[in-house]
């Protein structure tokens, strides 16, 4: 499962099945962050930290810890050969056995970089991707984080797996953004109705509904940009 906190009329803890996209929600008030362990223990934090687990479709609260400004259930230190949810000290990523992405008729440098990034994301080579991001001065976060590896691990442990998103997006069609960068998905660069509709082929129905709610602000999901010379410009989400 992937656990997230979603803003609705009432904030809810959402448990989404990684394979089917099916979601189960439980109200948790004004919590702003979530963390989960492989054994199913979940913590949601805000003005208070609530710790519990899902029993079927019901979230059973076990303890309510005192107010705090931050919390963690797992370290972000990394070790090799890891899989999603396989342990506290492992990288939160599941290697995928996939065929190479088919060519998209892009400039050679763009095609080569796209294939390289796809292969590294699919194989969970976070360290290799981080080296490329640092060398290319890739924008990977709007925050103060300076280490892409640490940023991606933290994001995955909070329910947003950048590696899995990269694999999916590189199977979508790109478009050229206003500064001449090849961008995935195309809707990030165009905002066109047809490109929004194309997202239904790479997103779950729950994801499509979630991002469509903010359509007036453009595509706020992960987007990847590669310059014509093959430089990896950005891999970033949000506004």
């Amino acid at each position: 499962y992937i656990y997230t906190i979603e803003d609705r009329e009432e904030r809810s803890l959402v448990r989404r099945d990684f394979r089917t996209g099916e979601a189960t929600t439980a109200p948790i008030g004004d919590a702003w962050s979530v963390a989960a362990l492989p054994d199913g223990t979940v913590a949601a934090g805000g003005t208070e930290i609530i710790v519990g687990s899902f029993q079927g479709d019901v979230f059973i609260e076990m303890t309510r810890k005192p107010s705090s400004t931050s919390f963690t259930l797992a370290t972000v230190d990394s070790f090799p050969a890891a899989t999603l949810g396989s342990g506290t000290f492992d990288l939160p990523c599941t290697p995928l056995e996939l065929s190479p992405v088919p060519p998209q008729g892009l400039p050679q440098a763009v095609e080569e970089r796209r294939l390289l990034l796809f292969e590294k994301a699919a194989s969970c080579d976070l360290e290799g991707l981080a080296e490329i991001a640092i060398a290319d001065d890739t924008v990977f976060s709007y925050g103060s984080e300076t280490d892409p590896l640490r940023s991606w691990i933290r994001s995955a442990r909070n329910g947003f797996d950048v590696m899995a998103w990269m694999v999916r997006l590189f199977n979508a069609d790109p478009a050229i953004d206003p500064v001449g960068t090849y961008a995935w998905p195309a809707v990030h660069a165009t905002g066109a109705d047809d490109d929004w509709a194309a997202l239904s082929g790479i997103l779950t129905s729950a994801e499509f509904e979630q991002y469509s709610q903010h359509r007036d602000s453009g595509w706020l999901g992960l987007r990847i940009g590669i310059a014509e010379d093959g430089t990896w410009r950005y891999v970033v989400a949000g506004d």
Side-chain angles (χ1 to χ4, degrees), residues 172-176 183 185-203 208 215 219:
D173 291 330
I176 300 177
V187 71
H188 168 59
T190 68
D193 290 342
D194 288 349
D195 290 330
W196 272 103
L199 291 175
S200 62
I202 61 172
L203 303 182
F208 187 82
R215 182 169 175 170
W219 168 248

Side-chain angles (χ1 to χ4, degrees), residues 63-83:
T63 59
R64 185 184 291 266
K65 296 185 178 181
S67 298
S68 175
T69 57
S70 64
F71 71 93
T72 182
L73 281 177
T75 179
V76 297
D77 291 338
S78 61
F79 288 82
T83 57

Side-chain angles (χ1 to χ4, degrees), residues 120-199:
K120 288 188 176 296
S123 63
C124 292
D125 185 3
L126 279 74
E127 293 94 338
L129 281 170
E131 290 177 0
I132 297 173
I134 292 171
D136 283 0
D137 196 22
T138 306
V139 176
F140 62 87
S141 171
Y142 288 131
S144 59
E145 180 62 76
T146 59
D147 183 347
L149 178 60
R150 185 172 294 273
S151 175
W152 296 332
I153 292 173
R154 182 179 296 111
S155 292
R157 293 208 181 280
N158 282 283
F160 190 83
D161 185 351
V162 175
M163 301 300 107
W165 272 94
M166 287 181 64
V167 168
R168 287 196 286 174
L169 292 181
F170 274 136
N171 278 286
D173 291 330
I176 300 177
D177 69 15
V179 298
T181 301
Y182 289 83
W184 290 262
V187 71
H188 168 59
T190 68
D193 290 342
D194 288 349
D195 290 330
W196 272 103
L199 291 175

Side-chain angles (χ1 to χ4, degrees), residues 1-4 6 8 12-26 54 56-58 204-207 209-210:
Y1 297 102
I2 294 175
Y3 299 89
T4 59
E6 297 187 3
R8 309 269 169 141
S12 297
L13 172 65
V14 179
R15 182 187 68 175
R16 182 168 287 110
D17 190 295
F18 187 77
R19 296 164 299 176
T20 66
E22 182 179 355
T24 300
T25 63
F54 276 94
D57 291 340
V58 180
T204 66
S205 58
E207 289 169 341
E209 178 184 358
Q210 176 186 353

